[in-house]
Amino acid sequence: METYTLRDGLTLPKVGFGTYKLNGAHGVDVIDSAIDRGYRLLDTAFNYENEGAVGEAVRRSSVPRSELLISSKLPGRHHDYHEAIDTIQESLYRAGLDYYDLYLIHWPNPKEDHYVEAWQALIDAQKFGLVRSIGVSNFLPAHLDRLKKATGVLPVINQIELHPYFNQQAQRDYDAANGILTQDWSPLGRASEMLQNPTLKQLAAEYGKNVGQLILRWELQLGTLPIPKSSTPKRQAGNLDLFDFEISAADMATINGLSSADGRLKNQDPAVYQEF
């Protein structure tokens, strides 16, 4: 597995595993399977209500905790500084972990406008030893500029919606210019639809890969970190089989040509969208 090194020195694998909707005993089994297939970065969130399942999978795994990287996210309803600190601690209690490797603000919730306060809480949580690295999710350049102006600290990672129908070039350019790694949620978009795209199917066949592998490789070559989710061991393994081919510049341009300004899956524009 190839890796990225964040600005603060933390090393992450170039592909992570998403755990949204993986809850209960079934979720534990799926996450445990993913660890067995080779995933070392697991992405969860307070609002997924499965931090406990992730923690249980970590405890069941034969892979040492020190070799796993666990990420979670702060919900919008707890952006108040003291609530944020309590929530991070509660996240750890839920998971049965002593620390998170990465902790993010899930959404900026600009109408409420408490995300700077929440960011200060993450800065302090890092100092307290609750988390190793801190970042954000769904933050736009204006939000990030404000964090830097108010605290002097920029996130090391920004997790955003990114897939062939919405390649987020402007946001990626901003992140790269500011030493922020872009991480991709919904990296396969609406998989049931996107995996049938004729252009992507043709390109995948030319490379001897499936469409999911083509898309994930495209995201790696954009310099981003996708976090695909799959419940089947075969697909879990296939989503890591990305390092034995390279997409040509012309084909990268073809895939980028599928992107549009209104390509968001659910119109969740961080400039106005609120999630609590």
Side-chain angles (χ1 to χ4, degrees):
M1 172 65 74
E2 296 178 5
T3 61
Y4 291 115
T5 299
L6 302 181
R7 198 177 66 249
D8 63 1
L10 184 69
T11 298
L12 299 178
K14 286 192 173 182
V15 182
F17 186 73
T19 69
Y20 180 56
K21 291 190 176 181
L22 295 179
N23 300 72
H26 170 69
V28 173
D29 289 343
V30 171
I31 298 164
D32 191 41
S33 169
I35 295 172
D36 286 346
R37 302 284 84 74
Y39 291 89
R40 295 295 179 264
L41 172 60
L42 307 176
D43 178 81
T44 182
F46 194 91
N47 273 354
Y48 297 173
E49 297 185 347
N50 71 348
E51 291 167 317
V54 171
E56 180 62 20
V58 169
R59 284 186 291 278
R60 287 190 189 183
S61 174
S62 61
V63 177
R65 167 67 180 96
S66 60
E67 296 180 17
L68 296 171
L69 297 121
I70 316 301
S71 176
S72 194
K73 308 180 195 74
L74 179 74
R77 63 187 179 278
H78 295 313
H79 278 190
D80 172 84
Y81 177 88
H82 294 290
E83 286 188 25
I85 295 294
D86 289 345
T87 301
I88 295 169
Q89 293 169 331
E90 182 64 30
S91 281
L92 291 169
Y93 296 148
R94 287 181 175 192
L97 299 174
D98 294 326
Y99 64 93
Y100 278 109
D101 298 277
L102 186 63
Y103 206 86
L104 316 178
I105 299 176
H106 207 157
W107 288 86
N109 283 22
K111 294 178 184 178
E112 300 299 313
D113 197 23
H114 294 299
Y115 64 86
V116 172
E117 186 176 356
W119 182 240
Q120 185 62 58
L122 263 65
I123 293 171
D124 291 344
Q126 185 179 36
K127 294 175 182 176
F128 300 156
L130 300 175
V131 296
R132 297 175 66 191
S133 293
I134 53 174
V136 295
S137 183
N138 304 299
F139 272 52
L140 300 173
H143 303 139
L144 294 163
D145 285 342
R146 189 172 172 201
L147 294 186
K148 184 176 182 180
K149 182 177 180 180
T151 69
V153 178
L154 275 173
V156 294
I157 205 163
N158 186 16
Q159 184 184 118
I160 58 175
E161 178 180 352
L162 196 154
H163 44 76
Y165 295 164
F166 194 59
N167 72 3
Q168 292 264 37
Q169 181 173 345
Q171 184 65 58
R172 287 188 288 108
D173 289 346
Y174 175 97
D175 290 349
N178 287 277
I180 301 169
L181 177 65
T182 300
Q183 190 177 50
D184 317 336
W185 63 261
S186 285
L188 302 178
R190 290 191 181 93
S192 59
E193 174 188 339
M194 192 169 293
L195 297 182
Q196 300 305 315
N197 179 280
T199 299
L200 296 175
K201 288 177 72 173
Q202 178 182 338
L203 287 176
E206 292 175 4
Y207 286 98
K209 295 289 184 177
N210 62 45
V211 176
Q213 290 168 323
L214 177 80
I215 293 172
L216 294 172
R217 179 67 201 184
W218 165 75
E219 287 159 344
L220 293 182
Q221 289 183 217
L222 292 179
T224 68
L225 196 165
I227 46 172
K229 183 190 79 173
S230 175
S231 296
T232 64
K234 182 178 179 181
R235 183 60 61 83
Q236 289 172 352
N239 286 346
L240 290 178
D241 185 19
L242 311 174
F243 300 96
D244 59 352
F245 75 110
E246 184 169 346
I247 301 172
S248 71
D251 290 340
M252 287 290 292
T254 296
I255 299 172
N256 280 316
L258 299 174
S259 184
S260 64
D262 61 350
R264 296 186 189 276
L265 297 179
K266 297 180 180 179
N267 197 32
Q268 293 171 308
D269 182 354
V272 295
Y273 180 77
Q274 303 265 96
E275 181 171 300
F276 296 99

